[in-house]
Amino acid sequence: MTLTLTSEARPMPRHRLPNKLFTQPDRVARSVTAREYAEAWYQAMREPETYTTDRIPSSGSRFGHLRLDEGHWRSGGGQTYVATPAGYRDERAIGKAVFTMLESSRADDVLYGKLLGRVITGVSMATLLDPRGGWASPRESAIRYALACLTLAVQVDDQTAEEALRQVRLMLLE
């Protein structure tokens, strides 16, 4: 089974944000394996490309119209989005997902949260893939990092990552 991954994420023009934030029709789709999809998420977290908006949508007025705030006391005036294989995702949602993993009662989730912390701070493997094919060495570590990244992807609503996550879990058992 193959998954679909789009080419390198590029910053989107301002006039396309935020209403087209999660769709990027200018990216060309190609088939990839679960390993390659995990690697794409891994690299997106390891060396993130971000886009910050100058305005953030407010919760709206009492008349039901959407207002745009020029700034917000917590965000410094905008929202930051990270380019991922599934399109742009809110940086705060990614941070919240990692924090939720760390606070989980499941040992695997805590491990994945710690691994993601290492990925984000840049103290992890350079790549999950061996240039000759397969997983990088040590294999089990590469698979664990892949599971962490794909679990995060599922938590930030990447439906393609669900199938990749299932496949990578099976690889860990091999």
Side-chain angles (χ1 to χ4, degrees):
M1 169 169 265
T2 58
L3 305 168
T4 302
L5 173 69
T6 53
S7 63
E8 285 293 316
R10 296 184 299 266
M12 294 185 67
R14 272 195 175 158
H15 68 280
R16 295 171 94 186
L17 288 172
N19 61 346
K20 295 208 180 209
L21 192 58
F22 300 109
T23 59
Q24 297 177 339
D26 57 333
R27 292 165 53 172
V28 180
R30 69 176 182 89
S31 294
V32 296
T33 64
R35 254 194 309 260
E36 291 171 325
Y37 200 70
E39 172 71 8
W41 265 97
Y42 183 79
Q43 293 303 328
M45 293 299 102
R46 191 167 182 271
E47 296 178 12
E49 287 184 35
T50 60
Y51 182 85
T52 304
T53 61
D54 357 347
R55 298 177 180 192
I56 58 173
S58 71
S59 57
S61 69
R62 63 180 199 202
F63 301 111
H65 298 289
L66 182 65
R67 294 188 326 247
L68 290 176
D69 294 337
E70 292 298 324
H72 192 277
W73 65 277
R74 281 192 237 173
S75 67
Q79 272 180 283
T80 301
Y81 297 94
V82 177
T84 71
Y88 285 82
R89 295 295 190 259
D90 187 345
E91 181 181 55
R92 291 177 297 183
I94 291 171
K96 183 178 178 182
V98 173
F99 185 74
T100 301
M101 285 182 199
L102 289 168
E103 294 285 310
S104 176
S105 60
R106 294 184 58 223
D108 282 349
D109 285 345
V110 174
L111 172 66
Y112 297 158
K114 289 178 181 179
L115 291 175
L116 286 168
R118 293 178 60 84
V119 172
I120 291 167
T121 57
V123 292
S124 60
M125 304 172 78
T127 181
L128 302 178
L129 303 179
D130 188 304
R132 297 165 291 183
W135 294 104
S137 183
R139 181 180 187 273
E140 186 174 338
S141 292
I143 293 175
R144 296 273 181 204
Y145 278 110
L147 288 170
C149 290
L150 291 173
T151 300
L152 172 67
V154 168
Q155 290 186 4
V156 294
D157 204 28
D158 178 2
Q159 285 136 9
T160 305
E162 291 177 17
E163 177 59 25
L165 180 60
R166 186 187 67 74
Q167 290 179 21
V168 173
R169 279 186 183 140
L170 293 174
M171 292 176 198
L172 184 62
L173 301 174
E174 293 175 353

